[in-house]
Amino acid sequence: MLIPVEVLTAIVRQATLVSEVLDTSLSIYLESRDAVLKQFFNSMKTKVSLSLVSKTFHSVMEIYLYEVVMIFRFEYVPIVLQRLQSIPAGSTIPRGHRCRRLDFYLGVGTASTYNDEAWYEVKIHRNAPHLTHKALWKTIAACCAKTIRRLELYGFGIRMDRVEMMLRYLTQLEVCSIAHVKNFDPLRDAYDDEEPTRLVIPQGRCFPPMVFRDDWDYSKPSSYFNVSTVSEFKVAKENSCWPPFTTSAPYTLSHLHTLRLDAFDPNRIIQFNFPRLRHLDMYSYFETECLSSSLGSFPDSLTHLTYAGNGASIAQIIGFFPQLRFLILSIEFSSFPNSHFRNPHLCLEVVELAIWDCFMHPQPQIEDIFIAARAGKLPSLRMIQVTPPFKPDAAELFAFEEKESTALGVVFEVVIREKPLFPRTHRRHHG
């Protein structure tokens, strides 16, 4: 009995579908990443098994094998780039145009066997090829731009000008999370330059500087990879290029609603408009005026903000976003001057005071919030959460805060933060 291809396609779709993996709705702000990844692993095992059943099954599974791509080992990067660029038999578009979600977890989990040095593009090493990074950004722009809805990068650095170069092509993007963004310094860096071939690292007055050169013979193995993988790195670079682009800045990503950028660069982010942005997750050690909706990048309709930075008070931060409902403040990596609430904020409902690695008492921030609540400046506030990496004795440490919060009609919670599957993605509420 022959099963029509349409029926077979519908069956394997249901057998391998994990809706949470393909989710790009606003609800991902509260998703459990570990649970989603486990579901993805199980789904991929089923997809691979089905694709090996027969030529018919393989042809059907081609539609779904590349709709979600997650990479966990650095040596697989070149072959993944080649597969995204390749065009399957009977098709006219590259496999990358089937990709709806693309995640990289390199150097962040137990699957990694290399030092961090293997994936930082601006660090050059005697025995480690560093040239795949820019090829990676170019391939994503060239082969995934038409379909990709969700992009997440963890475990290696990318300079902000290359973030800009890549994102401007991804006009269908709805969710973007890029950790380890590096600032672009116009006095030192050349915009969209090639990876440097020489790097000098000062060692202070008493020691000579360290000098690294990219003079590796790609016919030999490196300290990290064998000859075949090193050769694939070289091919990946030679076969990648930025696709044509004629539109000038500012670039509009009209579908993007969730954005995470570490090392927030205000001089580059103003090259973009995000009219539908609702969730923003950022490190900012610059003037907070870059957040103002008057500059065009961020709408004042933002509802969720995760913030780490220096120099801005809680009142200043929420003042930029009159519709903000959920605010997460990274206590461990920030400093907040005392707030002076001149105007009420009518929408703020929940404030989370996040502590990632070691316990720090957020008493100054809690007191700021209490002062504002007593003065009627936060009429919608209903909950204050403290989320440490381990549960302190709340009865001792937060007895006064709980009593004061109850008097104000606000719930006060201490919620332990679970250790994630990939430790170096943990410094975010939804990371």
Side-chain angles (χ1 to χ4, degrees):
M1 176 182 176
L2 294 177
I3 302 177
V5 173
E6 294 81 2
V7 175
L8 185 59
T9 301
I11 292 173
V12 299
R13 169 74 292 180
Q14 292 303 313
T16 61
L17 178 64
V18 180
S19 57
E20 292 83 357
V21 175
L22 294 172
D23 187 13
T24 58
S25 69
L26 293 171
S27 65
I28 66 165
Y29 191 79
L30 299 175
E31 76 174 7
S32 169
R33 180 181 300 277
D34 291 355
V36 171
L37 289 178
K38 290 175 182 178
Q39 291 176 328
F40 167 75
F41 297 150
N42 293 333
S43 174
M44 284 305 298
K45 290 178 182 178
T46 304
K47 288 181 180 181
V48 172
S49 298
L50 290 174
S51 69
L52 298 175
V53 170
S54 67
K55 289 184 177 179
T56 301
F57 269 86
H58 182 78
S59 177
V60 169
M61 292 312 302
E62 269 282 346
I63 304 172
Y64 304 119
L65 276 175
Y66 297 94
E67 66 179 352
V68 179
V69 177
M70 296 187 183
I71 303 175
F72 300 88
R73 295 185 65 87
F74 194 74
E75 69 268 34
Y76 297 154
V77 171
I79 189 62
V80 168
L81 297 185
Q82 187 272 327
R83 296 297 288 176
L84 292 176
Q85 294 168 355
S86 65
I87 300 175
S91 178
T92 58
I93 60 173
R95 288 182 169 92
H97 284 339
R98 294 193 172 116
C99 185
R100 296 169 58 186
R101 176 173 178 176
L102 181 59
D103 288 16
F104 289 84
Y105 302 89
L106 302 179
V108 297
T110 56
S112 303
T113 58
Y114 315 112
N115 298 328
D116 284 348
E117 320 300 20
W119 26 76
Y120 285 138
E121 63 186 0
V122 299
K123 290 185 178 179
I124 303 175
H125 308 275
R126 296 181 181 90
N127 300 323
H130 67 282
L131 51 76
T132 59
H133 287 78
K134 195 171 180 182
L136 175 57
W137 321 137
K138 291 177 178 179
T139 301
I140 294 173
C143 298
C144 304
K146 293 183 178 181
T147 55
I148 192 166
R149 301 294 192 272
R150 185 168 178 176
L151 174 66
E152 304 203 21
L153 306 176
Y154 300 96
F156 47 62
I158 172 173
R159 210 170 64 197
M160 187 61 198
D161 58 322
R162 289 171 186 154
V163 173
E164 180 182 330
M165 288 288 292
M166 175 177 61
L167 289 188
R168 62 182 185 169
Y169 293 94
L170 309 185
T171 56
Q172 302 302 310
L173 200 62
E174 298 176 34
V175 179
C176 180
S177 181
I178 304 179
H180 310 299
V181 177
K182 302 173 184 177
N183 289 323
F184 173 78
D185 185 349
L187 300 179
R188 183 190 62 192
D189 303 322
Y191 190 86
D192 191 37
D193 58 346
E194 294 301 320
E195 290 87 346
T197 58
R198 184 175 182 271
L199 182 66
V200 178
I201 301 178
Q203 298 278 53
R205 296 181 178 179
C206 301
F207 300 94
M210 296 176 63
V211 179
F212 295 125
R213 295 181 177 86
D214 180 30
D215 54 5
W216 186 249
D217 182 351
Y218 289 101
S219 65
K220 300 178 181 179
S222 74
S223 297
Y224 299 100
F225 313 111
N226 59 30
V227 174
S228 175
T229 303
V230 171
S231 176
E232 289 172 350
F233 285 149
K234 183 178 180 181
V235 172
K237 181 175 183 178
E238 293 174 346
N239 291 344
S240 64
C241 64
W242 292 116
F245 194 88
T246 57
T247 305
S248 59
Y251 315 112
T252 298
L253 299 185
S254 57
H255 300 283
L256 191 74
H257 60 71
T258 299
L259 175 65
R260 168 191 176 179
L261 288 180
D262 285 358
F264 192 83
D265 188 337
N267 295 317
R268 303 312 316 171
I269 203 66
I270 59 174
Q271 302 298 314
F272 287 92
N273 289 328
F274 308 111
R276 295 188 181 179
L277 193 67
R278 296 296 178 269
H279 299 166
L280 177 62
D281 189 340
M282 57 177 286
Y283 275 10
S284 178
Y285 296 99
F286 298 89
E287 296 80 3
T288 55
E289 283 69 23
C290 63
L291 296 174
S292 174
S293 60
S294 64
L295 296 179
S297 293
F298 302 114
D300 58 12
S301 54
L302 200 78
T303 59
H304 294 64
L305 174 65
T306 300
Y307 176 88
N310 291 330
S313 69
I314 297 175
Q316 288 175 310
I317 294 168
I318 66 176
F320 288 116
F321 306 111
Q323 297 186 42
L324 192 68
R325 296 170 51 216
F326 295 87
L327 173 65
I328 302 175
L329 298 175
S330 177
I331 303 302
E332 194 171 345
F333 303 101
S334 306
S335 64
F336 303 98
N338 293 335
S339 289
H340 301 283
F341 286 82
R342 293 185 176 89
N343 301 309
H345 192 288
L346 303 180
C347 295
L348 188 64
E349 299 177 22
V350 177
V351 178
E352 177 183 336
L353 304 172
I355 308 162
W356 307 104
D357 291 317
C358 59
F359 182 74
M360 299 175 64
H361 200 299
Q363 191 275 333
Q365 291 75 41
I366 295 174
E367 184 58 29
D368 265 0
I369 297 168
F370 282 165
I371 291 173
R374 292 190 203 105
K377 303 297 185 181
L378 300 174
S380 298
L381 185 67
R382 57 180 175 82
M383 180 179 293
I384 299 173
Q385 280 190 341
V386 179
T387 53
F390 54 89
K391 193 171 182 64
D393 189 342
E396 293 183 6
L397 291 176
F398 297 103
F400 170 78
E401 287 80 2
E402 287 186 306
K403 182 178 179 181
E404 181 72 10
S405 184
T406 300
L408 292 170
V410 176
V411 176
F412 189 94
E413 289 187 345
V414 179
V415 181
I416 189 170
R417 185 178 298 278
E418 296 182 1
K419 185 177 181 180
L421 183 63
F422 295 101
R424 290 176 61 191
T425 66
H426 76 294
R427 292 181 179 175
R428 283 298 186 270
H429 187 268
H430 48 89

